[in-house]
Amino acid sequence: MRTAVVPQAIRDWLSKPKALLIDGKWVAAQSGKTFEVHDPATGEVIAHVAEGDKADIDLAVKAARRAFESGPWARMTPSERGRIIHRIGDLILQHADELASIEALDNGKPKAVAKAADVTLAADMFHYMSGWATKIEGKYINISALAAPGMQFASMVRPEPVGVVGQIIPWNFPLLMAAWKLAPALTTGCTVVLKVAEETPLSALRLGELILEAGVPAGVVNIIAGFGETAGAALAGHPDVDKVAFTGSTEVGRLIVQAASRDLKKVSLELGGKSPNIILKDADLSQAIPGATAAIFFNHGQCCNAGSRLFVHKSIFEEVVEGIAKEAAKIKIGHGLDDGVDMGPLVSQVQYDRVTEFLASGEQEGARAVCGGKGLGGKGYFVPPTILVDTNPGMKVVREEIFGPVLVAAPFDDADDTLIAEANNTIYGLAAGIWGKDGGETQRIANRLKAGSIWINCYHVFDAALPFGGYKQSGWGREMGQAVLANYLEQKAITTRIG
Ligand code: ADP
């Protein structure tokens, strides 16, 4: 893969030291250490970033605590807070091109996709959440207080910010995941220490600059780049963090819960998936085929909600698989900064090894690759779109989350209990897709699937107003929508004796 032309403005920005945001200032790590960030399309080093660890997390948590307990943020009205959060969204849109370039270079995704999806949705998350700042309401309750006969009380329930929040995010949508986490925490009046993924720290660091420009007071948002086992673990177990919000793998989710359990911090988790995508026999294949292609191959399959298990009615199985393979053949693979590229590399050597090991295991267990099936090798971490057939439910490629451009496809007889049982036969429950013309049938299936998001005749439709999160081992709590506010609020019941 040739080196793409990196815009001059991005080169200038990258050439400046990449520090940690603590208490409103950009600072080097206490240890003085930095780590390399790579362009996944070439493997070349694009930046050196300060490597935060426990000492930096301690400083950031102290700053966040101070900002939460005193200072301008603690005194700010919801209206002022909302306006600042809205301004962050505006600044993201003003810097859309630049942010999309950074994302393409750091994560590998095509710049056009980063601009249309990641950047647009990140800005919208701040815009949408800014409106909630003035709409978080409590309750007045007429209580009966049976154990206090003859007395009268007035009770209210006051929502309050949970406090200092530790947020840990992954590398697949670096800017968007930062937005999903930061926007609701700020809306509710919390303060934050955000630990970004070591593979892709750059767009969140640029976002940190925009957050300061928007007028967020010092210490309210602290951003630490660093590794999971050091900075991440220190944050998840920090005694002065009130709540941990995590997005990432189910395995690390378990470690987060263990770390947070020592002092019973509040925890919300958005974890892995192995989502079923069902094509019924009456589906409009002109929609379902491209839809199923995007469901798995969007973002190179590096989506927790990817439609990675395809179930197709047996009467149209061959036609659909062939159709998806044809669509896959049209996907142009290349550097995310090059025009016309549809699919970039996987994010890292680690992910490349992981996905290609899954491909080898599929082959060993008897699955057949209709297209793709092997990593491209050479420079960069490219794996082509792959469809595996002749699978069975016991295979590793069918059971486990691959987090790469690998679809497993199986035929079904009738949309009966067996299909539902098979679709639900997973430890995960994040998303599902259903394609069909009979509205009653698609609804009935939707009602029986155990997943947090169901898309009928569409896929990957995200909106800041819609809750997103998982059943089963896909997580705890919801991101986005009104629902996410609960992650960051305590409910205080205040009772006054009035007679
Ligand atoms: P992925 O599988 O998508 O790489 P991970 O779950 O490994 O996702 O990582 C998601 C985030 O969790 C990253 O920011 C990573 O640094 C962090 N992380 C990894 N291990 C730990 C850990 N033991 N404690 C806290 N955070 C961790």
Side-chain angles (χ1 to χ4, degrees), residues 177-247:
M177 291 302 105
W180 279 19
K181 290 280 180 276
L182 290 172
L186 295 178
T187 297
T188 48
C190 293
T191 60
V192 178
V193 177
L194 175 73
K195 208 294 279 176
V196 299
E198 52 270 43
E199 295 86 352
T200 56
L202 299 177
S203 57
L205 295 178
R206 183 69 187 103
L207 176 65
E209 296 174 355
L210 300 179
I211 283 172
L212 293 183
E213 195 180 328
V216 173
V220 173
V221 172
N222 304 274
I223 303 181
I224 305 291
F227 292 88
E229 308 76 53
T230 51
L235 185 57
H238 198 291
D240 203 27
V241 165
D242 298 300
K243 187 231 150 67
V244 180
F246 172 75
T247 296

Side-chain angles (χ1 to χ4, degrees), residues 168-172 195-199 226-236 246-253 255-256 259 347 351 354 401 403:
I168 300 174
I169 55 171
W171 45 260
N172 57 342
K195 208 294 279 176
V196 299
E198 52 270 43
E199 295 86 352
F227 292 88
E229 308 76 53
T230 51
L235 185 57
F246 172 75
T247 296
S249 60
T250 293
E251 303 83 73
V252 175
L255 298 176
I256 300 284
V347 76
Q351 282 306 114
R354 190 184 132 83
E401 182 178 43
F403 223 66

Side-chain angles (χ1 to χ4, degrees), residues 196-387:
V196 299
E198 52 270 43
E199 295 86 352
T200 56
L202 299 177
S203 57
L205 295 178
R206 183 69 187 103
L207 176 65
E209 296 174 355
L210 300 179
I211 283 172
L212 293 183
E213 195 180 328
V216 173
V220 173
V221 172
N222 304 274
I223 303 181
I224 305 291
F227 292 88
E229 308 76 53
T230 51
L235 185 57
H238 198 291
D240 203 27
V241 165
D242 298 300
K243 187 231 150 67
V244 180
F246 172 75
T247 296
S249 60
T250 293
E251 303 83 73
V252 175
R254 278 194 199 96
L255 298 176
I256 300 284
V257 170
Q258 278 164 20
S261 72
R262 276 197 291 273
D263 44 14
L264 297 176
K265 287 184 211 325
K266 311 280 181 282
V267 178
S268 54
L269 304 166
E270 199 260 278
L271 307 174
K274 189 79 178 173
S275 298
N277 195 15
I278 298 167
I279 304 188
L280 300 168
K281 69 171 170 244
D282 67 347
D284 175 349
L285 295 189
S286 71
Q287 283 183 7
I289 288 173
T293 308
I296 179 62
F297 299 132
F298 175 67
N299 213 42
H300 329 159
Q302 301 171 132
C303 298
C304 47
N305 59 296
S308 50
R309 288 184 300 139
L310 184 70
F311 296 93
V312 186
H313 190 267
K314 67 173 185 207
S315 62
I316 50 170
F317 183 74
E318 308 296 330
E319 184 184 354
V320 167
V321 168
E322 210 173 286
I324 298 176
K326 265 196 199 133
E327 290 289 320
K330 290 187 221 155
I331 293 175
K332 188 173 168 215
I333 297 178
H335 196 293
L337 280 174
D338 284 343
D339 287 340
V341 163
D342 304 305
M343 190 189 262
L346 299 185
V347 76
S348 63
Q349 184 71 52
V350 172
Q351 282 306 114
Y352 181 87
D353 293 345
R354 190 184 132 83
V355 172
T356 49
E357 273 160 29
F358 267 110
L359 293 176
S361 110
E363 192 178 3
Q364 219 168 19
E365 290 188 293
R368 178 169 59 87
V370 176
C371 61
K374 296 246 178 312
L376 292 189
K379 236 180 170 193
Y381 315 125
F382 293 91
V383 174
T386 296
I387 306 172

